[in-house]
Amino acid sequence: MEQSRTRAPGVPAAGRPTRLTTQNVTGGAPADPAPRSAPGSARGEHTHSEPSAPRVVPQRHSVRDQILQALRAALLSGELAPGEVYSAPALAERFGVSPTPVREAMQVLVSEGCVATVPNRGFRVARHSPRDLAELTEIRALLEVPVVLALARTQPAERWEELRPLAEDTLQAAVCGDRGAYAETDRAFHRSLLELAGNAQLVSLAEDVRRRASLSSSRQAPTRRTTDLLAEAADHLALLDALSDQDLPAVERLVRDHA
């Protein structure tokens, strides 16, 4: 695949791409230049009346996280195609940043099984089979079902009402047909649900499995309809109702079957 003709995710189809700069990452104004030494002062002499301006430290991780978010959205949409190889310098040029944060973001995707490193070339987008999706779905159920059932037995009904705005966010994303936004709101809902168990390692592991399953699902059904997203979003609201009622059979069914 010819990289120079590939539009990187998050970059407009035409025109020069918007550069990710320290200023728009941190949201602050540019730092003032360091003041000149007072007339007559000796070289290296410290002047208390004119302190040096604080140094602005580039927020490299913020840039990496923005690129990581854009790359994940491109993977879900199919803009980064399975089996294709993408080089960090080529993507960095499109983003208007150095290759370093792009490579760092790609390494995160490697750890998640979304891409694989190709020595001296870049990163190849992973292919996912129906069996991959089935295995991830099974793992997710093994992690989440017993935890949510335990929560259903111990948490008060008002606790589930606190999660309702997150469930409604998934419904709004589904109404708009925005798959990227739906994936993010879906993960936010399930992360907040599992955080009630007080096990940070469980939350991290379950979120990783859910992200992999979401990507694998998008490979199997690249043109999912809005009605499919609406049905999944409705499951969130139904789950909260079942949790409030302590309807354990309904809770188990909804957690196990939720895509």
Side-chain angles (χ1 to χ4, degrees):
M1 180 173 183
E2 186 175 349
Q3 293 300 321
S4 61
R5 299 180 182 176
T6 302
R7 180 171 64 87
V11 177
R16 185 177 182 82
T18 301
R19 296 185 64 83
L20 298 177
T21 64
T22 300
Q23 180 180 350
N24 60 35
V25 167
T26 60
D32 293 329
R36 296 179 179 273
S37 300
S41 61
R43 182 183 301 273
E45 181 181 357
H46 182 69
T47 306
H48 291 280
S49 61
E50 296 184 9
S52 299
R55 180 184 177 190
V56 177
V57 180
Q59 300 297 312
R60 191 180 73 186
H61 289 294
S62 297
V63 178
R64 182 205 64 183
D65 292 343
Q66 291 182 38
I67 294 174
L68 178 59
Q69 183 178 1
L71 291 173
R72 282 174 173 160
L75 287 168
L76 282 172
S77 68
E79 189 174 355
L80 293 181
E84 296 293 342
V85 176
Y86 298 87
S87 72
L91 290 175
E93 183 178 355
R94 303 303 194 277
F95 278 119
V97 299
S98 72
T100 298
V102 176
R103 290 193 182 96
E104 291 175 347
M106 281 295 198
Q107 288 300 334
V108 174
L109 295 176
V110 169
S111 70
E112 296 175 354
C114 300
V115 301
T117 302
V118 181
N120 302 319
R121 292 186 60 195
F123 301 87
R124 176 178 286 111
V125 177
R127 300 181 185 274
H128 293 85
S129 68
R131 180 167 181 79
D132 293 330
L133 177 58
E135 291 176 349
L136 289 167
T137 301
E138 181 181 0
I139 294 171
R140 195 188 69 238
L142 290 171
L143 288 172
E144 297 186 16
V145 169
V147 173
V148 178
L149 284 174
L151 291 171
R153 297 185 183 97
T154 58
Q155 298 296 319
E158 54 267 23
R159 183 59 58 83
W160 308 121
E161 287 304 308
E162 296 172 3
L163 298 182
R164 196 165 292 274
L166 294 175
E168 291 170 350
D169 286 344
T170 67
L171 185 61
Q172 182 60 41
V175 169
C176 296
D178 188 335
R179 291 180 57 182
Y182 179 82
E184 290 302 317
T185 55
D186 178 67
R187 279 195 291 273
F189 172 81
H190 286 275
R191 180 173 59 248
S192 297
L193 174 63
L194 293 177
E195 282 175 345
L196 296 176
N199 188 326
Q201 297 301 319
L202 169 70
V203 173
S204 178
L205 182 58
E207 188 169 25
D208 179 56
V209 172
R210 181 166 289 276
R211 181 180 288 111
R212 293 176 186 233
S214 178
L215 179 58
S216 182
S217 177
S218 71
R219 295 287 185 259
Q220 312 310 315
T223 57
R224 295 174 70 195
R225 298 170 299 177
T226 299
T227 52
D228 297 327
L229 298 181
L230 287 170
E232 292 181 13
D235 285 347
H236 294 145
L237 296 169
L239 175 60
L240 292 179
D241 291 338
L243 288 165
S244 296
D245 296 338
Q246 291 191 323
D247 185 346
L248 300 186
V251 169
E252 180 172 1
R253 175 180 56 80
L254 287 163
V255 176
R256 190 178 299 278
D257 295 343
H258 182 62

